[in-house]
Amino acid sequence: MDTPFFSATAAQTHIIPHYGPTNKKLRCQLPLICPPNACRIRVANIDLTLQQDKAIIFDDSFLHEAWNDHQIKSRLVLVFDVWHPDLSDREIKFLSFLQNAALRKAKRQAEISLQTLEESKIGDDEESHDSNTELRSASSHHATTTTSSGKEDDYHKGNPDRHDNFFAVIQKGRQEGVSNRSEIWTI
């Protein structure tokens, strides 16, 4: 799955209601620093007070939000994802393939951008000897991919979860019985 990360919220902070991009995964959160009785989360219509060193697991495709109501102490949570247990091995293999393909594509795009930047720098160094060199705008090095309708393609804006085929697979999974439960499990 994705790389684990830390989520820190300052005292008196509210993370506004939002949805995760997909139900292909469950979100795991382990509060490492959590002021007692001050941090809470709501998933769908379920409210839970977080406890330090007590993990929770939930489907973040449901509307969720979080609070740190403490007056001065921050909250620090380790966040990581696991495959949704209602997915079959075949579905996980397919979704892993899509995820890895998106990562390979992003890596290729980054390498091309770096190469273009390096070539541009070499060209700039050569032109710097010419007193009549014009300044180049940063936008001249940025290529925007557009769809046939002329709109910018969100997939190429660094948001691979926007890919239509990806969502079609997830939607099909929901229709065929992948869980629609809004639960929070504690460990």
Side-chain angles (χ1 to χ4, degrees):
M1 291 275 2
D2 298 326
T3 305
F5 63 94
F6 293 98
S7 171
T9 53
Q12 300 179 4
T13 300
H14 175 219
I15 299 173
I16 62 172
H18 61 285
Y19 297 92
T22 177
N23 71 338
K24 71 177 181 178
K25 62 181 172 57
L26 295 179
R27 170 84 14 123
C28 304
Q29 294 189 357
L30 175 62
L32 302 174
I33 300 173
C34 184
N37 301 315
C39 299
R40 54 198 168 95
I41 188 169
R42 176 180 298 138
V43 178
N45 60 351
I46 301 170
D47 291 281
L48 181 72
T49 300
L50 298 176
Q51 297 176 24
Q52 188 164 312
D53 300 326
K54 187 162 181 121
I56 63 168
I57 302 173
F58 61 96
D59 180 341
D60 80 336
S61 69
F62 289 94
L63 184 66
H64 59 284
E65 60 188 309
W67 295 265
N68 178 359
D69 295 326
H70 199 273
Q71 296 298 311
I72 57 173
K73 293 185 179 178
S74 295
R75 175 201 77 153
L76 179 68
V77 176
L78 173 64
V79 180
F80 59 97
D81 298 327
V82 296
W83 290 113
H84 199 291
D86 289 344
L87 293 173
S88 69
D89 289 342
R90 186 174 179 206
E91 291 167 324
I92 290 171
K93 183 177 180 179
F94 177 69
L95 291 170
S96 295
F97 171 79
L98 289 178
Q99 186 174 25
N100 289 334
L103 289 172
R104 285 191 304 273
K105 183 175 183 172
K107 181 180 177 185
R108 279 194 313 269
Q109 288 176 328
E111 289 169 348
I112 290 168
S113 295
L114 182 59
Q115 182 180 4
T116 303
L117 182 63
E118 289 172 351
E119 289 170 359
S120 172
K121 185 174 180 181
I122 291 170
D124 286 346
D125 289 345
E126 291 171 0
E127 291 176 5
S128 66
H129 298 296
D130 181 1
S131 60
N132 296 323
T133 301
E134 293 182 21
L135 294 176
R136 296 183 190 181
S137 69
S139 63
S140 67
H141 299 290
H142 176 73
T144 302
T145 303
T146 56
T147 63
S148 58
S149 66
K151 295 182 180 177
E152 284 193 30
D153 183 353
D154 286 337
Y155 183 80
H156 294 92
K157 288 188 196 176
N159 190 355
D161 282 338
R162 295 286 307 228
H163 196 275
D164 291 337
N165 291 335
F166 183 85
F167 276 120
V169 169
I170 299 305
Q171 184 62 30
K172 182 178 179 194
R174 279 197 187 257
Q175 292 169 353
E176 293 179 359
V178 173
S179 175
N180 287 328
R181 298 183 303 249
S182 63
E183 300 179 58
I184 303 176
W185 298 274
T186 57
I187 301 174

